[in-house]
Amino acid sequence: MAAQNHVHEKPSADRINTVVSELQTMFGDRLTTNMTVREQHANTTTWVKPQPADAVVYPETTEEVSSIVKLCAANRVPVIPFGTGTSFEGHVNAPYGGICVDTSRMNNILDIYAEDLNCRIQPGVTREELNDYLRDKGLFFPIDPGANAAIGGMVGTRASGTNAVRYGTMKDNVLSLTVVLPNGDIVKTASRAKKSSAGYDLTRLFVGSEGTLGIITEIVLKLHGQPEAISAAICPFPTVKHACDAVIAAIQYGIPVARMELMDEFTVRSLNDYSKLDLPVSPLLLLEFHGTEPSVKEQAELFGEIAAEYEGGPFSWTVKPEERSKLWKARHDAFWAVKLLRPGVKDVPTDICVPISRLAECVDETRRDLDESNLLGPIFGHAGDGNFHINLLIDMDDADEVARMKAFMERMVHRAIDMEGTCTGEHGIGQEKRKYLEIEYGREALDLMLTIKKAIDPLNIMNPGKIVTWQEK
Amino acid sequence: MAAQNHVHEKPSADRINTVVSELQTMFGDRLTTNMTVREQHANTTTWVKPQPADAVVYPETTEEVSSIVKLCAANRVPVIPFGTGTSFEGHVNAPYGGICVDTSRMNNILDIYAEDLNCRIQPGVTREELNDYLRDKGLFFPIDPGANAAIGGMVGTRASGTNAVRYGTMKDNVLSLTVVLPNGDIVKTASRAKKSSAGYDLTRLFVGSEGTLGIITEIVLKLHGQPEAISAAICPFPTVKHACDAVIAAIQYGIPVARMELMDEFTVRSLNDYSKLDLPVSPLLLLEFHGTEPSVKEQAELFGEIAAEYEGGPFSWTVKPEERSKLWKARHDAFWAVKLLRPGVKDVPTDICVPISRLAECVDETRRDLDESNLLGPIFGHAGDGNFHINLLIDMDDADEVARMKAFMERMVHRAIDMEGTCTGEHGIGQEKRKYLEIEYGREALDLMLTIKKAIDPLNIMNPGKIVTWQEK
């Protein structure tokens, strides 16, 4: 288990000072060592304890990023890429200090290729900025993690969201990347062709690599035409199992459902309290269908028939935008509704993903475990992908509760892996889930990941302490 | 350009003999050194000159493959993975000798997970075998390169085919792999969950790696529900540009076309001669739509309207199976029709892929170049992906013609790359397209591929001389 013990040490103050002072010369007021800024960059929406970098720098071009990385490589100082800091697993922490490279000023939309349904952007563009820009062009970008994340960060964590069941994840929606490697080399991973068999899949090597193999400085993303029509639906089921069976049947039938979100009874109950709704207190599916007018009608009706077979109902659907918004507001309110059950405590989100045949069983066992552990949290998720979340509400000052939370999370991961699933569907590994990689993949596969990391980043300067770590000799 | 000069040498006869004699003990009559068999394994459907391995072995399990690889690693003898040998670019050649690992006896379908829409198979299962097996289960596997290839080989070359515009390529349809690494380690690349953010994307690292990083011994594939209804359509257009514009419009409109195949005028003319048809002699699109009865009707009619906007027509569509078969027979006959224009010569297939906005221009320039080069070949392809093929008909004994062919192919690749495309959309790099990788990706990206290859296969025993090569010190 040597690879799980990282004994890397912080660079000496001399080396840090050399890099910071050179960067000051190069970047002027686009370099800061202000402690508040550094702490913000190590801890935004996560419960993981902040470990600030020694400085934060704001490059604007690929070449500037390359010069930062070259300087850090020459002095063996860590480089921590930063988008919006909305990840959950400690991805932006700097356990060995170093330079935080904030890409927020690299936020230009460079090209829209409407005919090819793709675009070229800088990594600091957020998903909402991109969609605002695309709105009057009849195009959209479907990947929607909860936060308004920077697209660069979404590439890094292989993000997905509610639309993944139809449109895939970041893995499926990135055509090509420009990456600054740990030696400062600038690499373009692919052409703008829709597909290619030309050599190793460098694009997918970087998607999900969490900044540990390089910094993404340009992205070619697939886009999609805005659907002519959208219908939304809501349907309660007697049990989570009934809801999941309906999901499986709909997918097998080939209904191209765009969104298929599950909320458990606990979540629905809190929502009714919070939003003064009278949703039936039972597991609930929220759905969305994209297509032409006749097609979204057909899809919704077909799903209604399938839901009835699995004792779902009353099933209601609509194409009216205001009614659709109301339905989806419920989904978004869930987060706040549950937060208010216990104000002032920390929100600890975690996620796993299992084959959908095991989803109901996994959700039920997890809910039971949650209750038995005397922990509070809604279960909701992307049922069509077998991916679900719990946002635990934890008093981080209560050592016993924190211990129960950690034990619960560990059981949750083991449960997923035992069901042929994964320890994270969309949040990533970061610092907190490193220990599960060997359990999920086995020693040999983890060694392969280490081999890749060591070959591409032999000095271990790129976001060290994330995904894979090793004991230096 | 050192990396493009491989000066690897064949292992000594002693080392080869040691390995062959050990394998004989282990595998008995599942090991052969018969020259006819060895030559068949180096050259099946390709025009590339055969370079036979020293022996062919037929393992049946992952563990057997691992023991072969360990033995070869210990003696530094090359290992060449073999499926059905239907690739085009010399992937199964053994330029440095070694052991050909024929996976044809690893042809078991291990598990069908109908609810999860995936299955676990051995790599020697062919795509037709899989679909025959799935037929009465209401499922199908959509990736269809022309040949009845082994799925393991399709993983290796990142294959696609006519359905890719809707269902993606092998990259999108492989969930997980079991791989024997160059050191004999057995690695599982992912769980059976539909998505994951857990560490590096090992699955995509091997998809398209052409056996140069390991041998695939088990595959978890995504499956799809058989569509309730299928409609097929045919539509001539005045020019390739008009046809491509209709394709672009259909994709932008969001019509989920399953197949969208382009044939150029030359191809149609030969087809009329060969099959006694009276297709309009002009560029032609063949289409297929999958969905419910009303949906395939709607899709076909919508496409008809779009085609009319781009002067396409007469547009005819049908849901009747016998009429559908007739339409698609035309597509499949194209290959034979053109072959008969010049019997006895070699068929030399090649492919490129460009952003679809450039497809018409690329096809037109390529046709002009073909005619000016006095070469014969149909242009047809997967218009929805921007991917097209030419099957050149070449007298390989005519040195001048071969020289013209090679110069033409080189211009074709440069044209694709200049249009932000790739030197191969689905055939792969093998031996013949190695020289284009640096042109397409640049030196730094090619160095990154080399870094990966050297780290994972430091002895360079896995299918050496394919994709990336380097000069030994």
Side-chain angles (χ1 to χ4, degrees):
Chain A
M1 301 272 295
Q4 296 299 336
N5 296 317
H6 53 91
V7 294
H8 314 295
E9 286 178 359
K10 293 198 186 208
S12 66
D14 272 3
R15 274 147 62 200
I16 295 280
N17 289 341
T18 304
V19 167
V20 171
S21 108
E22 284 244 20
L23 288 176
Q24 240 146 8
T25 312
M26 290 157 70
F27 289 90
D29 62 6
R30 288 191 285 137
L31 183 282
T32 178
T33 54
N34 176 293
M35 184 46 111
T36 310
V37 176
R38 284 156 56 200
E39 280 189 342
Q40 282 166 351
H41 279 76
N43 188 355
T44 54
T45 55
T46 177
W47 61 280
V48 182
K49 273 197 192 146
Q51 296 167 307
D54 295 294
V56 180
V57 64
Y58 300 84
E60 288 169 6
T61 64
T62 297
E63 290 66 31
E64 283 189 349
V65 173
S66 171
S67 67
I68 295 166
V69 173
K70 278 180 182 161
L71 179 65
C72 287
N75 293 279
R76 209 172 170 160
V77 163
V79 179
I80 300 94
F82 185 93
T84 50
T86 47
S87 68
F88 292 134
E89 301 292 348
H91 294 92
V92 293
N93 261 341
Y96 311 107
I99 306 300
C100 173
V101 178
D102 183 318
T103 58
S104 60
R105 299 199 192 177
M106 299 178 74
N107 64 343
N108 292 308
I109 294 168
L110 304 170
D111 288 296
I112 302 287
Y113 306 95
E115 291 196 320
D116 297 319
L117 288 180
N118 56 51
C119 66
R120 187 185 307 277
I121 62 168
Q122 286 188 305
V125 175
T126 69
R127 64 178 186 84
E128 288 180 6
E129 282 167 4
L130 179 60
N131 277 320
D132 286 346
Y133 188 87
L134 294 174
R135 192 151 295 127
D136 65 1
K137 294 175 177 60
L139 301 170
F140 82 112
F141 176 68
I143 315 298
D144 64 338
N148 182 22
I151 308 269
M154 289 168 59
V155 174
T157 55
R158 204 181 291 125
S160 47
T162 65
N163 286 306
V165 62
R166 170 152 178 171
Y167 298 96
T169 75
M170 288 307 281
K171 162 175 78 60
D172 310 297
N173 284 280
V174 175
L175 265 188
S176 172
L177 296 168
T178 302
V179 181
V180 173
L181 298 183
N183 64 1
D185 272 2
I186 297 165
V187 156
K188 216 184 76 184
T189 62
S191 75
R192 226 163 39 72
K194 266 180 79 176
K195 65 183 196 188
S196 172
S197 283
Y200 303 147
D201 190 342
L202 298 181
T203 309
R204 250 54 58 181
L205 179 68
F206 290 101
V207 176
S209 67
E210 303 184 2
T212 64
L213 302 177
I215 302 193
I216 290 152
T217 61
E218 221 172 276
I219 306 158
V220 179
L221 282 181
K222 285 192 200 170
L223 300 175
H224 299 264
Q226 282 166 18
E228 179 190 296
I230 296 176
S231 66
I234 194 165
C235 188
F237 287 85
T239 67
V240 168
K241 173 91 174 96
H242 285 84
C244 290
D245 284 345
V247 166
I248 291 169
I251 291 174
Q252 288 208 309
Y253 198 81
I255 304 179
V257 189
R259 290 168 146 175
M260 192 140 49
E261 297 288 299
L262 174 71
M263 286 195 260
D264 80 343
E265 202 173 313
F266 175 88
T267 312
V268 174
R269 198 180 295 121
S270 359
L271 208 54
N272 278 345
D273 289 349
Y274 174 76
S275 303
K276 314 288 170 233
L277 295 173
D278 54 357
L279 297 170
V281 179
S282 66
L284 215 60
L285 283 182
L286 259 79
L287 303 108
E288 196 169 271
F289 308 97
H290 295 177
T292 58
E293 291 272 2
S295 149
V296 298
K297 182 172 183 293
E298 187 196 20
Q299 290 180 56
E301 286 172 351
L302 267 173
F303 187 86
E305 288 169 28
I306 287 170
E309 279 174 44
Y310 295 96
E311 303 175 37
F315 173 76
S316 59
W317 69 275
T318 179
V319 292
K320 292 187 186 146
E322 61 283 8
E323 290 178 21
R324 279 199 286 119
S325 302
K326 202 174 136 200
L327 287 182
W328 282 100
K329 192 168 181 308
R331 164 72 172 82
H332 293 298
D333 280 350
F335 178 77
W336 301 106
V338 179
K339 233 174 148 63
L340 276 198
L341 289 178
R342 205 177 169 202
V345 300
K346 198 79 188 168
D347 176 45
V348 178
T350 190
D351 91 309
I352 54 172
C353 186
V354 294
I356 53 173
S357 62
R358 308 298 297 272
L359 179 60
E361 188 186 350
C362 195
V363 168
D364 284 341
E365 282 186 25
T366 303
R367 166 56 60 198
R368 200 154 43 233
D369 190 359
L370 200 58
D371 294 343
E372 284 168 11
S373 306
N374 194 23
L375 293 167
L376 202 62
I379 297 184
F380 56 94
H382 315 311
D385 297 320
N387 179 209
F388 70 91
H389 302 259
I390 303 184
N391 277 15
L392 294 162
L393 295 169
I394 304 293
D395 177 358
M396 299 300 283
D397 297 326
D398 180 339
D400 177 65
E401 186 170 335
V402 170
R404 276 183 285 125
M405 168 192 93
K406 290 193 172 171
F408 165 80
M409 280 179 162
E410 185 133 350
R411 285 192 301 276
M412 184 166 157
V413 164
H414 278 277
R415 191 176 300 126
I417 293 172
D418 289 347
M419 293 183 181
E420 295 188 79
T422 175
C423 67
T424 173
E426 54 184 25
H427 291 176
I429 295 296
Q431 297 177 302
E432 289 304 314
K433 287 194 163 173
R434 280 176 302 172
K435 59 188 163 192
Y436 303 127
L437 274 185
E438 183 169 349
I439 302 166
E440 180 169 336
Y441 289 96
R443 183 68 245 166
E444 290 78 8
L446 188 55
D447 276 343
L448 177 57
M449 290 191 198
L450 271 167
T451 299
I452 293 166
K453 166 72 174 172
K454 287 180 177 181
I456 296 175
D457 182 22
L459 302 176
N460 194 25
I461 60 163
M462 286 306 311
N463 210 4
K466 319 296 162 64
I467 302 187
V468 286
T469 43
W470 68 87
Q471 182 142 28
E472 296 282 15
K473 293 221 172 87
Chain B
M1 302 268 293
Q4 295 299 336
N5 295 318
H6 54 89
V7 293
H8 314 295
E9 285 178 0
K10 293 198 187 208
S12 66
D14 272 3
R15 274 149 60 200
I16 295 280
N17 290 342
T18 303
V19 167
V20 171
S21 109
E22 284 243 22
L23 288 176
Q24 241 147 8
T25 312
M26 291 157 70
F27 289 89
D29 61 4
R30 288 191 286 138
L31 183 281
T32 178
T33 54
N34 176 292
M35 185 43 112
T36 310
V37 176
R38 284 156 55 198
E39 282 189 339
Q40 282 166 352
H41 279 76
N43 187 357
T44 55
T45 56
T46 177
W47 61 281
V48 182
K49 274 198 195 145
Q51 295 167 308
D54 294 293
V56 179
V57 64
Y58 299 84
E60 288 168 4
T61 65
T62 298
E63 290 66 30
E64 284 188 349
V65 173
S66 171
S67 66
I68 296 166
V69 173
K70 278 182 182 160
L71 179 64
C72 287
N75 293 279
R76 207 169 170 162
V77 162
V79 179
I80 299 95
F82 185 93
T84 49
T86 47
S87 69
F88 292 134
E89 301 291 350
H91 294 92
V92 293
N93 261 341
Y96 311 108
I99 306 301
C100 172
V101 178
D102 182 320
T103 58
S104 59
R105 298 197 192 180
M106 299 178 74
N107 64 344
N108 291 308
I109 294 168
L110 303 170
D111 288 296
I112 302 288
Y113 305 97
E115 291 196 319
D116 297 319
L117 289 180
N118 57 51
C119 66
R120 187 185 307 276
I121 63 167
Q122 288 188 304
V125 175
T126 70
R127 64 178 185 85
E128 288 179 6
E129 282 167 5
L130 180 59
N131 277 319
D132 287 346
Y133 188 87
L134 294 173
R135 192 151 296 129
D136 65 0
K137 294 173 177 60
L139 301 169
F140 83 112
F141 176 68
I143 315 298
D144 64 338
N148 181 22
I151 308 269
M154 289 168 61
V155 174
T157 55
R158 204 180 294 124
S160 47
T162 65
N163 286 306
V165 62
R166 170 150 178 173
Y167 297 96
T169 74
M170 287 306 281
K171 162 174 77 61
D172 310 297
N173 284 278
V174 175
L175 264 188
S176 171
L177 296 168
T178 303
V179 181
V180 173
L181 298 183
N183 64 1
D185 273 1
I186 297 166
V187 156
K188 217 185 76 184
T189 62
S191 75
R192 226 163 39 72
K194 268 180 81 177
K195 65 182 197 187
S196 172
S197 283
Y200 303 147
D201 189 342
L202 298 181
T203 308
R204 251 53 57 182
L205 178 68
F206 289 101
V207 175
S209 68
E210 303 185 3
T212 65
L213 302 177
I215 302 192
I216 291 152
T217 61
E218 222 173 273
I219 305 158
V220 179
L221 281 181
K222 283 193 200 171
L223 301 175
H224 299 264
Q226 281 166 19
E228 180 189 296
I230 296 175
S231 66
I234 194 165
C235 188
F237 287 85
T239 68
V240 168
K241 172 92 173 97
H242 285 84
C244 290
D245 285 344
V247 165
I248 291 168
I251 291 174
Q252 289 208 309
Y253 198 82
I255 304 178
V257 188
R259 290 168 147 174
M260 192 139 48
E261 297 287 299
L262 175 71
M263 286 195 261
D264 81 342
E265 202 174 313
F266 174 89
T267 312
V268 174
R269 199 179 294 121
S270 359
L271 208 53
N272 278 345
D273 288 349
Y274 174 77
S275 303
K276 314 289 171 230
L277 295 172
D278 54 356
L279 297 170
V281 179
S282 66
L284 216 61
L285 283 182
L286 260 79
L287 302 111
E288 197 168 271
F289 308 97
H290 294 176
T292 58
E293 291 272 2
S295 150
V296 298
K297 182 173 184 292
E298 186 196 22
Q299 291 179 56
E301 287 171 353
L302 267 173
F303 187 85
E305 287 169 28
I306 288 171
E309 279 174 43
Y310 295 95
E311 302 176 35
F315 174 74
S316 59
W317 69 276
T318 178
V319 292
K320 293 187 185 147
E322 61 283 7
E323 290 178 22
R324 279 199 285 120
S325 303
K326 202 174 135 199
L327 287 182
W328 282 99
K329 194 169 179 309
R331 166 70 172 83
H332 293 299
D333 279 351
F335 179 76
W336 301 105
V338 179
K339 230 173 151 65
L340 276 198
L341 290 177
R342 204 178 170 202
V345 301
K346 197 78 188 169
D347 176 46
V348 178
T350 191
D351 91 309
I352 54 173
C353 187
V354 294
I356 55 173
S357 63
R358 309 298 296 272
L359 179 61
E361 188 185 352
C362 194
V363 167
D364 284 342
E365 284 186 24
T366 303
R367 166 56 63 198
R368 200 155 42 234
D369 190 0
L370 199 60
D371 294 343
E372 284 167 12
S373 306
N374 195 24
L375 293 166
L376 202 64
I379 296 184
F380 56 93
H382 315 311
D385 298 319
N387 179 209
F388 71 91
H389 302 260
I390 304 185
N391 278 15
L392 294 161
L393 296 168
I394 303 292
D395 177 358
M396 299 299 284
D397 297 326
D398 180 339
D400 177 67
E401 185 170 336
V402 170
R404 276 183 284 126
M405 169 192 94
K406 290 192 172 172
F408 166 81
M409 279 178 162
E410 184 132 351
R411 285 192 301 275
M412 185 166 156
V413 164
H414 278 278
R415 190 176 300 127
I417 293 171
D418 288 347
M419 293 182 181
E420 295 187 78
T422 174
C423 67
T424 172
E426 53 184 25
H427 291 177
I429 295 296
Q431 297 177 300
E432 289 303 315
K433 287 195 164 172
R434 280 176 302 172
K435 59 187 162 193
Y436 304 127
L437 275 184
E438 183 169 347
I439 302 166
E440 180 168 337
Y441 289 97
R443 184 66 246 166
E444 291 78 7
L446 188 54
D447 276 343
L448 178 58
M449 290 192 198
L450 271 168
T451 298
I452 294 166
K453 167 71 174 174
K454 287 180 177 180
I456 297 176
D457 182 22
L459 301 176
N460 194 25
I461 60 163
M462 286 307 309
N463 210 7
K466 318 298 162 64
I467 301 187
V468 286
T469 44
W470 67 87
Q471 183 143 25
E472 297 281 14
K473 290 219 175 87

